[in-house]
Amino acid sequence: MRAALRRRLLVATQTDALAVLHDGIWSTRCLHCRSALQVRDDGEPLGLATLEHVVPQAWFGRRAAAALTAQVGDDADDPRNLALACARCNHDKGKGHDARGPGDVRAREVVEALLATRLSRWRDPMDAPAR
Ligand SMILES: [Zn+2]
């Protein structure tokens, strides 16, 4: 797996208040379905863990999504926009509201709720357990 992706998986995990570190393995829960997910402490995903961009990358720069992208500093790779999702949920999301785009009211509502969940689980990286 690419180093940049591993770094993003790791920062998404470290800034997730639900994530706990034990014997070099982070355990947390899918942003959508709360199923258990694990990431190695070097950022390598285990099992079904995948990296999710909460506000879809394609929405950045789109006027209809401006209120959402502003919440994460208008940067798709801002840690606040990164979350762990299981492969099944991440795949389903790609076919659903991501594809409909930010002009779709329902799609915007879904992403807004997801972002609120992500921000409610936010943990300052300085407060994350040490390796
Ligand atoms: Zn899931």
Side-chain angles (χ1 to χ4, degrees):
M1 174 162 293
R2 286 187 304 122
L5 184 52
R6 278 206 308 268
R7 252 195 331 273
R8 286 175 189 143
L9 272 159
L10 195 56
V11 76
T13 307
Q14 289 169 331
T15 58
D16 176 358
L18 295 186
V20 293
L21 180 61
H22 185 71
D23 285 346
I25 306 285
W26 286 97
S27 298
T28 186
R29 295 192 173 276
C30 173
L31 183 68
H32 304 267
C33 71
R34 297 181 58 87
S35 63
L37 295 175
Q38 293 190 314
V39 176
R40 227 165 48 195
D41 68 358
D42 65 355
E44 187 72 21
L46 303 173
L48 292 175
T50 65
L51 181 71
E52 158 143 338
H53 287 84
V54 181
V55 180
Q57 289 170 282
W59 289 24
F60 285 77
R62 302 274 304 271
R63 201 173 53 188
L68 288 168
T69 60
Q71 292 183 55
V72 295
D74 288 317
D75 175 5
D77 290 318
D78 185 285
R80 292 169 293 184
N81 198 44
L82 303 178
L84 274 289
C86 72
R88 201 184 59 191
C89 288
N90 209 347
H91 181 67
D92 288 350
K93 179 173 175 271
K95 287 186 305 195
H97 60 263
D98 285 19
R100 291 205 300 275
D104 182 283
V105 173
R106 177 67 190 140
R108 273 208 313 278
E109 286 172 355
V110 170
V111 171
E112 196 167 351
L114 275 178
L115 185 58
T117 300
R118 169 60 176 124
L119 296 177
S120 76
R121 279 170 58 170
W122 176 259
R123 168 171 63 199
D124 190 289
M126 296 303 289
D127 296 333
R131 291 183 62 153

